[in-house]
Amino acid sequence: MKIGIDKIGFYTPHLYVDMNKLAVSRNVEPEKFTIGIGQEKMAIPPLTQDAVSLAANAALKILDDDDKEKIDFVIFGTESGIDHSKSAAVYVHQLLGLKPQARAIELKQACYGATAGIQMAKGHIALHPGSKVLVLGSDIARYGLNTSGEATQGAGAVALLISADPKIMVLEEHNAYMTADIMDFWRPIYADKAFVDGKFSNEQYIAFFNNVWRQYKEKTGLELQDYEAICYHLPYTKMGKKALRTILDEGTVVDQERIMANYQISTAYNRVVGNIYTGSLYLSLLSLLEQKENLEAGSRIGLYSYGSGAVGEFFSGILQPNYRKHLQIDQHTKLFSERTEVTVPEYEAIFEETLPTNDRKVELEIDQDPATICFAGITDNKRQYINKSAK
Ligand code: CAA
């Protein structure tokens, strides 16, 4: 049975900061951020967007009534959870009006959560071919003002509909994965910003990639030449390139040029959004599919997922006939073109705005946020969400 990605939705908040301007205010040469790190713009989430609302907005535009009838599993990958107990998936299930006969859970393993969700969805569809699974990857990346991680923040969500006979990409049979207990990046329960050992995290990202790439080759017999492109989890766009460079000499000059050119295209959206943790790999895939016009059906795309702590996985998919017709290119172009730039002081003020940690009632100004679904505040310790399109 063919199982894979039937639809892909994406959402990012309407505010961003220019990395050149951030660099100037941090007394750093702009090229460090734009070339050395490889980021041009960084999405800034207002308080009215959290992991739940970002994910709900990402899924809102892709689901039709037939999908809603068939979705019997919602899997939410995030490391920006809003409750220690109740899953973010249950909120999204309600906000999207999905049928009650569905499972809804949250998965956590840093940026790997959505990939775990996709693999779980694949197994579910194999057992229940008529059903569809909604997999969400939604996060807000926060390291703190004036930290070395600051230039690699971001916010956004990707929604993937997984089904049999998918319209966009069939996932191939094999996977290669590994786990090792390391402290490269983590966020203790009491912290609202990540802790990171930056250089170590870079090294481990590459070491995990080399391990799962080798395993996958052994399992499948596939070589670099068999891929049209390889997409990476992109904490920042230079990171995937560093990993890719370690295997490039396995191919001919033609392979190297093709894979590197496609890598550049696969960074297009990540470059102007920043790190969205669990969704980053799929934002990279979306960049490639939407921004490269002549990528042929039948092409094999490799996918490298990395979640600090750490779990890494390599897998691949085959593009389906007419896949481009099922992408939301116009919507995403509009989403990017309608964003508003904020100044560095404005970004800093938004960053410092946080919710109370006691039971105080909170009412947020959602009229300032053009998103259809917003986080509106907290009443009686219960988060309130508003879907502006709901009657
Ligand atoms: N022009 C061009 N390039 C310049 C430059 C200039 N003027 N100045 C510096 N650079 C280059 C440097 O040479 C360097 O390039 P290489 O990495 O190719 O050597 C690059 O800019 C970055 O410079 P530094 O290494 O000095 O940067 P830094 O130490 O300030 O921070 C970082 C970089 C470690 C990635 C930091 O931003 C960080 O900790 N980020 C968060 C952690 C992270 O993203 N880790 C990635 C792997 S973990 C993961 O993937 C999970 C996840 O999502 C978090």
Side-chain angles (χ1 to χ4, degrees):
M1 189 197 313
K2 290 180 173 175
I3 302 172
I5 301 172
D6 194 52
K7 295 183 179 178
I8 312 180
F10 165 64
Y11 190 75
T12 189
H14 71 294
L15 304 175
Y16 72 88
V17 75
D18 184 303
M19 297 303 282
N20 290 286
K21 295 176 187 165
L22 183 63
V24 170
S25 84
R26 300 295 181 250
N27 287 321
V28 165
E29 283 179 31
E31 292 75 18
K32 173 172 176 185
F33 288 177
T34 56
I35 299 168
I37 300 271
Q39 294 301 129
E40 277 167 34
K41 294 175 182 174
M42 185 167 87
I44 308 298
L47 217 46
T48 45
Q49 290 299 314
D50 64 9
V52 167
S53 62
L54 291 169
N57 284 309
L60 197 62
K61 301 264 165 52
I62 60 167
L63 304 181
D64 58 27
D65 289 344
D66 182 62
D67 297 328
K68 290 187 183 181
E69 186 47 40
K70 291 192 172 130
I71 291 172
D72 63 357
F73 202 174
V74 183
I75 305 177
F76 197 122
T78 187
E79 49 183 305
S80 316
I82 48 126
D83 193 295
H84 290 314
S85 177
K86 180 169 171 171
S87 84
V90 171
Y91 291 92
V92 174
H93 173 274
Q94 188 275 332
L95 285 163
L96 298 176
L98 301 181
K99 66 178 183 185
Q101 297 81 4
R103 291 180 177 136
I105 58 162
E106 186 172 310
L107 283 183
K108 178 174 67 189
Q109 178 26 58
C111 306
Y112 174 73
T115 301
I118 289 172
Q119 303 307 344
M120 192 180 272
K122 202 175 156 193
H124 181 81
I125 303 291
L127 288 172
H128 309 283
S131 76
K132 296 188 179 192
V133 181
L134 180 62
V135 177
L136 304 156
S138 179
D139 275 303
I140 296 174
R142 280 170 70 84
Y143 293 90
L145 305 178
N146 284 297
T147 61
S148 68
E150 182 179 29
T152 65
Q153 298 177 139
V158 172
L160 301 129
L161 190 62
I162 307 296
S163 74
D165 300 320
K167 294 196 255 319
I168 296 178
M169 189 165 99
V170 167
L171 296 171
E172 294 196 277
E173 182 191 350
H174 294 287
N175 314 57
Y177 36 82
M178 70 170 285
T179 294
D181 182 1
I182 57 168
M183 295 305 277
D184 62 329
F185 165 103
W186 66 103
R187 184 164 70 85
I189 292 291
Y190 53 81
D192 76 338
K193 300 177 198 82
F195 288 76
V196 63
D197 186 341
K199 300 286 176 218
F200 181 55
S201 71
N202 288 1
E203 285 162 22
Q204 291 302 311
Y205 174 108
I206 295 172
F208 274 60
F209 170 66
N210 290 146
N211 183 306
V212 295
W213 168 254
R214 194 177 57 248
Q215 275 192 59
Y216 197 73
K217 275 179 24 171
E218 283 164 13
K219 276 189 183 171
T220 61
L222 293 170
E223 299 287 341
L224 191 67
Q225 68 197 35
D226 299 309
Y227 296 88
E228 184 63 25
I230 300 178
C231 293
Y232 288 80
H233 164 60
L234 293 178
Y236 55 96
T237 69
K238 177 87 164 288
M239 186 70 247
K241 191 188 270 180
K242 287 178 190 235
L244 175 56
R245 278 188 188 140
T246 65
I247 59 159
L248 262 193
D249 65 2
E250 295 177 18
T252 63
V253 172
V254 173
D255 297 330
Q256 294 182 14
E257 285 174 359
R258 178 187 67 254
I259 303 257
M260 196 44 100
N262 285 336
Y263 174 78
Q264 270 322 114
I265 300 172
S266 79
T267 64
Y269 293 164
N270 306 70
R271 187 175 283 277
V272 294
V273 170
N275 195 356
I276 61 166
Y277 291 160
T278 43
S280 288
L281 167 60
Y282 304 99
L283 184 57
S284 170
L285 175 65
L286 199 61
S287 305
L288 178 73
L289 301 187
E290 294 193 347
Q291 294 301 312
K292 170 130 186 177
E293 283 178 19
N294 54 353
L295 200 57
E296 287 183 13
S299 298
R300 172 176 290 111
I301 313 293
L303 297 148
Y304 173 57
S305 183
Y306 178 76
S308 288
V311 178
E313 179 155 343
F314 192 88
F315 59 111
S316 60
I318 305 289
L319 293 180
Q320 295 304 286
N322 301 316
Y323 73 91
R324 266 186 88 77
K325 282 192 191 152
H326 304 287
L327 299 169
Q328 320 279 324
I329 302 172
D330 293 347
Q331 254 179 49
H332 297 146
T333 308
K334 187 164 176 283
L335 179 68
F336 284 119
S337 69
E338 289 179 351
R339 292 197 297 173
T340 306
E341 182 181 344
V342 294
T343 62
V344 173
E346 283 166 343
Y347 141 65
E348 290 173 342
I350 295 169
F351 188 92
E352 299 285 21
E353 252 176 18
T354 47
L355 294 167
T357 47
N358 56 22
D359 59 0
R360 189 160 62 79
K361 183 178 164 117
V362 178
E363 279 179 78
L364 298 173
E365 201 49 69
I366 63 164
D367 295 347
Q368 307 293 318
D369 186 338
T372 307
I373 295 175
C374 293
F375 167 49
I378 304 176
T379 309
D380 296 333
N381 296 300
K382 296 169 192 159
R383 286 173 96 93
Q384 310 294 318
Y385 292 93
I386 289 185
N387 182 345
K388 296 175 188 166
S389 69
K391 285 159 204 117

